[in-house]
Amino acid sequence: MKKLFLWIIFIATVFFLSMQISKEVHSKILYLSDGIKIGILNLNQNILNVITRHFNQAEQIKHLTNELKNKEGLQYSLNSLKHEHSQLLVSLQTDNFNLPSFHLVRTLSYVRLNDYTKVWLQNRDTNSFNATENKIFGLVTNNQVAGIAIFENNRLTGFLNGDEQCNYSVFVGENKTPGVAKYDTNKGFIVDYIPLYPKIKVGDIIQTSGYDGIFYSEIDVGKVQSIEERQGYQIAIIQPFLNKVSQFYWLIDTNQTTTHEESANDFTFFN
């Protein structure tokens, strides 16, 4: 009986000690495991932070590069506007800056029978505009080009669209491709000497360019009906917006000294 009691005490003591040791070992194992887990999580977070920072820096560099390009483009635009502004100020201060003048003229008659592209014009006050011999004026009505007028032999002659002597510079389409409106004996009223690029298309609107000193820019002329390509340039056969003789026209005097001979010489370099 005494031995049994001692065995019970011994077993209880061993069990108690083993439980204490097991708790300490388990605690140390959990501590070590937590440390490993925390280390792995921290390592993963650091790696994610490095990767995120790298891509954020790359994205930021890309953004800053685009912003720099935009700033550079804006700077060029600003420089251009400054240049145009300075030119405008110079033009406003110079004595040579003149706005076009306009004079209402009346159609008297055709110059020749069966020729509906040449008319005699009358301006009641011939001293109201610069009536230089062979000077070219623009003729418009309803803000559309009718042709040109030339003061010669003390008479004002109108050469309407479709006449061989009616030539003036124009733009074709939204890209403002330059060309020369003129009459062709085989094709009729055309725009000649149009560069190959950019390409023009049927339906493009044709307007004056103002380069020749006859008209100011962006007066409607007609629209493209068909296009032909020649060696090195394009030709547009056009439908003019005006194809009838009007009783009255507005005469445009741009106050430039372009004459009929000078205009002819301006177009010879195309040929």
Side-chain angles (χ1 to χ4, degrees):
M1 191 68 180
K2 186 178 180 180
K3 289 182 179 181
L4 179 61
F5 178 73
L6 292 174
W7 277 107
I8 292 173
I9 294 175
F10 175 74
I11 292 171
T13 302
V14 171
F15 179 77
F16 176 77
L17 292 175
S18 63
M19 289 293 295
Q20 294 298 321
I21 294 172
S22 177
K23 288 180 180 180
E24 292 181 4
V25 172
H26 186 262
S27 177
K28 291 181 179 180
I29 291 174
L30 289 177
Y31 179 78
L32 179 62
S33 175
D34 290 343
I36 294 173
K37 290 179 181 178
I38 292 172
I40 293 173
L41 291 175
N42 289 338
L43 179 62
N44 289 338
Q45 188 63 44
N46 290 335
I47 293 173
L48 289 175
N49 289 339
V50 171
I51 294 173
T52 303
R53 187 163 54 250
H54 170 75
F55 283 106
N56 286 344
Q57 287 178 348
E59 192 67 28
Q60 188 175 14
I61 290 172
K62 181 179 179 181
H63 175 73
L64 291 175
T65 301
N66 291 334
E67 288 294 323
L68 183 60
K69 289 181 180 179
N70 293 336
K71 181 179 181 299
E72 187 176 0
L74 290 173
Q75 185 63 47
Y76 288 139
S77 299
L78 179 61
N79 292 340
S80 175
L81 288 174
K82 286 181 178 179
H83 177 69
E84 292 185 10
H85 179 257
S86 62
Q87 285 187 321
L88 179 60
L89 290 178
V90 171
S91 298
L92 291 173
Q93 293 172 359
T94 181
D95 295 333
N96 296 324
F97 181 76
N98 293 307
L99 291 173
S101 56
F102 302 88
H103 311 275
L104 188 64
V105 295
R106 180 173 60 184
T107 301
L108 294 178
S109 66
Y110 294 109
V111 175
R112 290 190 295 269
L113 293 177
N114 298 323
D115 185 353
Y116 303 107
T117 62
K118 291 186 182 71
V119 292
W120 296 122
L121 301 172
Q122 180 195 34
N123 181 24
R124 294 180 179 179
D125 183 8
T126 57
N127 294 322
S128 64
F129 65 95
N130 184 15
T132 305
E133 190 74 9
N134 291 323
K135 178 178 171 61
I136 302 176
F137 302 93
L139 281 181
V140 298
T141 181
N142 297 322
N143 199 36
Q144 296 171 333
V145 174
I148 63 172
I150 301 175
F151 190 81
E152 54 185 0
N153 299 323
N154 292 320
R155 299 200 69 171
L156 190 61
T157 307
F159 300 91
L160 306 181
N161 290 328
D163 187 85
E164 293 181 358
Q165 296 189 61
C166 182
N167 302 301
Y168 50 89
S169 64
V170 294
F171 285 142
V172 181
E174 295 179 354
N175 293 318
K176 296 188 179 299
T177 306
V180 177
K182 58 183 288 190
Y183 176 77
D184 183 273
T185 54
N186 297 318
K187 301 182 182 302
F189 193 36
I190 66 171
V191 176
D192 209 350
Y193 314 117
I194 305 171
L196 288 175
Y197 299 98
K199 294 292 186 181
I200 61 174
K201 60 183 183 296
V202 173
D204 277 348
I205 300 299
I206 300 160
Q207 295 181 313
T208 57
S209 67
Y211 288 161
D212 49 19
I214 300 174
F215 298 95
Y216 56 89
S217 63
E218 298 185 357
I219 306 175
D220 289 338
V221 176
K223 62 181 179 180
V224 177
Q225 276 190 316
S226 61
I227 303 165
E228 297 181 7
E229 287 193 6
R230 297 290 178 84
Q231 187 174 1
Y233 60 94
Q234 305 174 84
I235 292 177
I237 300 173
I238 65 176
Q239 177 183 355
F241 290 137
L242 292 177
N243 53 14
K244 294 182 180 180
V245 178
S246 177
Q247 184 178 1
F248 293 96
Y249 295 102
W250 283 100
L251 186 79
I252 299 177
D253 183 3
T254 61
N255 295 310
Q256 299 187 35
T257 57
T258 304
T259 64
H260 194 202
E261 289 79 4
E262 290 173 337
S263 177
N265 292 334
D266 288 342
F267 296 134
T268 55
F269 75 93
F270 289 108
N271 297 325

